Amino acid sequence: MGAWGPALFSDDLACDVRDGYRELIEDGTTDEDAQRHVLDSYAEVLDDPDEGPVVWLALAVAQSKIGRLDTTVRDRALGIIERGEGLSRWAEEGAKALAGRQAVLQKVQVRLTGPQPERKRLRRPWRHVTDLTPGTVLAYRVLSGKVVLLRVARIDDDRTGCAPVLSLMNRLGDGIPSRQELDGITNAVDRSCPLGIPVDAAMKMTVFRVAVRRRKDPDYRALGFEPLTGLVRSRPQDEVLDPEAYTHWEGLAETMQWFAGCR
């Protein structure tokens, strides 16, 4: 957990509380159950002098913004502001940081004590579902005519969508390999030299998590990624393969062009 500024949501913990609460409301959880779930989730830090106030303030503002401010949460948050709880870490950073945080809390106090907005209904975000499956190999032809291969190691499935985790394969060729050849091609695990190409330290990436977040965003076929017939065998550690880049299909296409252009 960390804060990068005095604003209430310039803080990892505050963002997690807000996002968790909103997701529960989006999923149709009742106001009471959503509040209870959030407070239960952070029960271990509620009495912490630094983190406890952040939880109560973030929950209060999150509720207020959608017209669901609970009186108990409001009173607890206002008490925190009035007593100056949770300000010690800001005081340690100096008078300017403390003044900045106090100004933020004054605005929070005004929000919580003023007229509240009408109750808002939150809908679950659109969720993309991919037709790719583990073991599928995608071929992408770069501008030079060479073909780059990526293997679907697994599909990450969560409330925001299904995102394939792709492993770059250790091959840059002129054409599409046969089914038998595919099984013999390994992952490009040498990150200093993927595809046999020495690359700069900033681009040592061989594992990509590719998500479609908006309806208007192009999927893999629209960008020229071609699924090859048949599947290749799963590889050890596919389920725990850590992505080195979180991107979209346009970003992945640009990265493949960059890799191939280094040759």
Side-chain angles (χ1 to χ4, degrees):
M1 298 295 180
W4 57 93
L8 182 59
F9 293 109
S10 293
D11 184 297
D12 290 332
L13 176 58
C15 289
D16 287 345
V17 171
R18 175 197 61 193
D19 295 347
Y21 176 75
R22 289 180 66 92
E23 287 177 3
L24 287 165
I25 297 298
E26 288 171 357
D27 291 343
T29 308
T30 66
D31 295 355
E32 295 78 10
D33 285 346
Q35 176 177 309
R36 186 183 308 110
H37 186 278
V38 170
L39 293 176
D40 287 347
S41 297
Y42 295 95
E44 292 184 0
V45 301
L46 289 180
D47 292 328
D48 183 272
D50 291 323
E51 295 188 339
V54 173
V55 173
W56 286 106
L57 292 168
L59 178 57
V61 172
Q63 289 181 336
S64 174
K65 286 187 174 182
I66 59 174
R68 287 172 164 80
L69 181 58
D70 177 79
T71 55
T72 300
V73 175
R74 179 200 64 194
D75 293 346
R76 185 65 180 268
L78 290 173
I80 286 169
I81 296 171
E82 291 167 2
R83 293 187 293 272
E85 296 178 24
L87 290 177
S88 59
R89 60 177 172 177
W90 299 98
E92 291 172 359
E93 294 185 17
K96 184 176 180 180
L98 177 60
R101 183 64 171 185
Q102 289 173 326
V104 166
L105 295 181
Q106 288 175 1
K107 292 180 180 179
V108 171
Q109 187 177 45
V110 170
R111 167 179 280 279
L112 299 183
T113 56
Q116 294 298 298
E118 292 184 7
R119 183 184 181 86
K120 297 178 182 178
R121 179 185 177 189
L122 298 184
R123 296 182 178 179
R124 292 192 69 174
W126 173 76
R127 184 176 185 275
H128 177 258
V129 178
T130 185
D131 61 356
L132 293 172
T133 56
T136 300
V137 174
L138 293 175
Y140 180 74
R141 194 175 295 276
V142 296
L143 295 177
S144 66
K146 298 286 187 180
V147 175
V148 178
L149 302 177
L150 296 124
R151 183 178 61 85
V152 180
R154 69 172 185 276
I155 303 295
D156 280 354
D157 190 348
D158 58 31
R159 71 185 304 275
T160 63
C162 295
V165 174
L166 306 177
S167 179
L168 186 66
M169 300 184 77
N170 191 24
R171 180 187 184 278
L172 182 63
D174 295 319
I176 303 296
S178 67
R179 174 69 174 79
Q180 290 73 22
E181 290 175 316
L182 282 176
D183 264 335
I185 301 173
T186 61
N187 294 347
V189 294
D190 182 358
R191 295 182 177 88
S192 65
C193 216
L195 305 182
I197 307 164
V199 297
D200 130 344
M203 289 292 288
K204 293 179 182 177
M205 298 179 296
T206 63
V207 182
F208 307 83
R209 188 182 190 274
V210 191
V212 178
R213 294 300 186 194
R214 302 175 299 176
R215 291 180 189 271
K216 65 180 183 179
D217 291 343
D219 207 345
Y220 66 94
R221 286 189 177 88
L223 272 300
F225 290 90
E226 176 189 351
L228 302 184
T229 302
L231 303 175
V232 297
R233 295 187 302 270
S234 60
R235 310 287 168 86
Q237 305 304 311
D238 276 354
E239 290 303 314
V240 293
L241 203 59
D242 288 330
E244 294 145 352
Y246 290 74
T247 186
H248 43 69
W249 290 105
E250 288 178 299
L252 183 64
E254 291 173 2
T255 302
M256 295 303 99
Q257 295 286 1
W258 186 90
F259 272 146
C262 288
R263 188 120 185 182

